[in-house]
Every structure is written in structure tokens, then in C-alpha cells.
Amino acid sequence: MAKDNDATNDSIWLYTPSTALAIVVATLYLIPTSLLFYQTILKYRSWFFLCVLIGSCLEVGGYIARAVSTKQVTEIPPFAASSTLIILAPIFVAAGNYLLIGRLIRVVLPPPSASATATASTSSAKRIFGLRAQHITRIFVGCDVLSCLIQASGSGIASSGNWTGNSAKVGTDVLIAGLSTQVGTFVWFLAIVWRFSVLTKRGGLVVDGAPEGWLKVLWAIYASSALILVRCVYRVIEFALGIDGYPFTHEWVFYVFESLPMLPAISVFCVYHPARYLGKAGWLQKQVSEEPGVELLPA
């Protein structure tokens, strides 16, 4: 099938990008960004949730840079800025999800019973699949950072040969490995979220005094994370098909599978802002102390 648009020979783009569409999407992202700024900075002063706000700001900046690049199709800086910001933005939004599930585990799940404690190891009481709640954020952020470093290495190798020849093949393979790592990380994370849901719903393991509305935060995490996963899978397919493949040569694919999923992945937190239910410090100021134990299991 032919490309959706014909790009000029000197253009960096593989199609003729739409300036109007880039401006519209930048404006759409500006709406949740403005709401999150008001809620996070002015209303709740919830500094613990800054990472999602930063990710949302990066999305706005990325699409503004994309709009500029559509008018300067032979210039590398606006194109590179757009690509970099749009790629980095989901990492910050994902970090917000990692942080939130760690907080929910710590404030919703009760400590183990005395009998469970008696036979436990010296690990933290609140675990999901062996991961301590307070370590979940750093573990998954670390995985995302590793993924980004692999992707950056692959991009560097491929671009060293101007995305042609053996360098392009090796670089693309490395880049796909990095993107696959990101997908694997998110699948693992969603398994953590699912396990927490099982413990609280089927197992009924909810501590007395758990914050009202914590379930709304959980469903916001589910929705946001699932949408980010869709975006990550799209990126793997995009590079797997190669620079001459359909996704790279048709602009609508980018907007449907990159722009469209990330918008509600961010916007859901405007409706269910965590500070509304967990307080400006994420409920940690009210957290009960944890005692040694093992992963909590349904009765």
C-alpha cells in the first residue's frame, strides 16, 4: 500500500505530517496538564504525584515541537525534540502508577497476623509476589530506565549508519529489545496490580481505617497502565516492521496508538486525583508501622 502522503526527498519525515493535527493534539493534552497542575500544585500540594504532571507537560512540549517540525521538515532539532519528549513522557506517567500501587499496598493491606508473623522471615510484611511494597516504585522505575538506555543505544547504533545497512539492522534489534523490556515490565506490573486486587477483593484483606476511595485510585492505575501497555506494544510492532513498514509511513497509526492511549492514561488522574483520596502526602503520614512477615494471602 502506498504511503498516506508523499514527503519531499529532503524531508526527515516519511510522510507529510499534519501541522493542524499536531496543534490539536497539543491543545488536547494541555487540558489535563492544566487540570493536573491546578490539582497537584495549587489545590492539594501533593508533591508525591509530580511525576505524572511532568509526563503530561512533556506530552504538550512534544506535540508543540512536532507542530514546529511539520513546518521545518528538513531540520533535525525540532524533530528530535518531539520524538524525545513523546518517548519520555510515558515513563513519567508509568512512574506515577508504580508509586501509587506501592502506596496502596502499604496503606490498604493489613499487617500479617501474629501466627503468620511467628513463621515468617525477616522481610517486610506487605509483599506482592515477593516484592516489598516500599521497593516496588524503585524496582519498576529502574526497569524503565534500563529499557530507555537499551533503546537509546539501539537508536545510536542505527543512526550512526543513517539507518541503513548492517548498522540499521543491529541498532533496530537492540532498540526492539529495549522496547520489549518495557512491555515485559508493564506486564509484570499489571500482574502486581491484579494480585493486589485479588488480595483486597477476594481475600478481603483491607485494613481498618483504609482511605476512602482507595478503590477508585486502583481502577485509575488499572486504566492508565493498560493504556500505556497498548502504546508500548505499538512501539515494538512499529520498529519490528522496520523504517519502511506501515506504521512509520502512515501518520494516522502514530496518533491512534501513541497519542490516543496516552491522553486518557493521563486524564484519568484528573477525575480520580490520588491526593483527593490519599491526602497531599499520599497517606504515608497516617501509615501504620509494618512488622516482619510474608506475603499476605487470602483466607
Side-chain angles (χ1 to χ4, degrees):
M1 183 178 291
K3 300 178 183 180
D4 57 352
N5 291 295
D6 292 326
T8 62
N9 291 333
D10 295 331
S11 175
I12 297 171
W13 298 89
L14 298 179
Y15 47 73
T16 303
S18 169
T19 304
L21 196 52
I23 293 173
V24 167
V25 173
T27 303
L28 289 175
Y29 272 99
L30 184 60
I31 296 172
T33 302
S34 301
L35 288 173
L36 281 176
F37 179 85
Y38 167 72
Q39 293 171 317
T40 304
I41 304 298
L42 303 178
K43 184 177 182 179
Y44 298 117
R45 297 182 182 274
S46 49
W47 313 120
F48 77 93
F49 203 58
L50 276 177
C51 50
V52 173
L53 175 59
I54 292 172
S56 192
C57 290
L58 291 178
E59 293 281 11
V60 175
Y63 287 100
I64 290 175
R66 185 181 176 93
V68 173
S69 182
T70 62
K71 292 296 186 181
Q72 302 175 13
V73 296
T74 61
E75 300 295 323
I76 293 178
F79 177 86
S82 173
S83 299
T84 301
L85 293 175
I86 292 172
I87 288 173
L88 286 177
I91 296 174
F92 284 88
V93 180
N97 285 307
Y98 302 153
L99 181 149
L100 286 176
I101 197 63
R103 297 287 176 102
L104 287 185
I105 293 170
R106 296 167 74 178
V107 303
V108 173
L109 294 182
S113 64
S115 60
T117 305
T119 60
S121 66
T122 58
S123 306
S124 171
K126 299 182 181 180
R127 290 176 168 230
I128 300 289
F129 290 143
L131 295 182
R132 297 172 62 179
Q134 58 266 48
H135 291 168
I136 284 178
T137 302
R138 68 190 72 172
I139 289 172
F140 282 99
V141 168
C143 288
D144 268 354
V145 170
L146 175 62
S147 168
C148 280
L149 291 176
I150 296 173
Q151 292 177 53
S153 298
S155 181
I157 294 171
S159 61
S160 67
N162 199 28
W163 291 89
T164 58
N166 189 59
S167 295
K169 183 181 184 306
V170 173
T172 300
D173 289 344
V174 173
L175 204 155
I176 291 172
L179 290 167
S180 299
T181 300
Q182 193 172 34
V183 170
T185 298
F186 247 90
V187 171
W188 181 22
F189 175 70
L190 284 172
I192 296 285
V193 178
W194 170 82
R195 179 61 173 164
F196 173 75
S197 179
V198 169
L199 291 172
T200 53
K201 284 183 159 186
R202 299 180 189 175
L205 295 176
V206 179
V207 70
D208 291 337
E212 293 184 11
W214 67 266
L215 190 56
K216 294 179 181 179
V217 178
L218 175 61
W219 285 115
I221 295 171
Y222 257 129
S224 180
S225 299
L227 288 165
I228 295 173
L229 179 60
V230 170
R231 175 262 177 195
C232 292
V233 170
Y234 150 68
R235 285 296 190 176
V236 173
I237 295 173
E238 178 185 43
F239 281 95
L241 293 177
I243 197 168
D244 293 321
Y246 192 92
F248 264 116
T249 56
H250 293 78
E251 187 173 34
W252 73 265
V253 180
F254 169 82
Y255 281 107
V256 169
F257 293 104
E258 171 70 48
S259 311
L260 189 57
M262 287 307 303
L263 185 58
I266 293 170
S267 301
V268 67
F269 293 114
C270 296
V271 180
Y272 301 114
H273 195 285
R276 178 181 177 185
Y277 308 102
L278 305 180
K280 70 177 184 179
W283 199 261
L284 288 192
Q285 76 280 14
K286 298 183 180 180
Q287 179 187 346
V288 294
S289 61
E290 296 179 359
E291 300 178 9
V294 294
E295 179 185 359
L296 298 171
L297 297 173

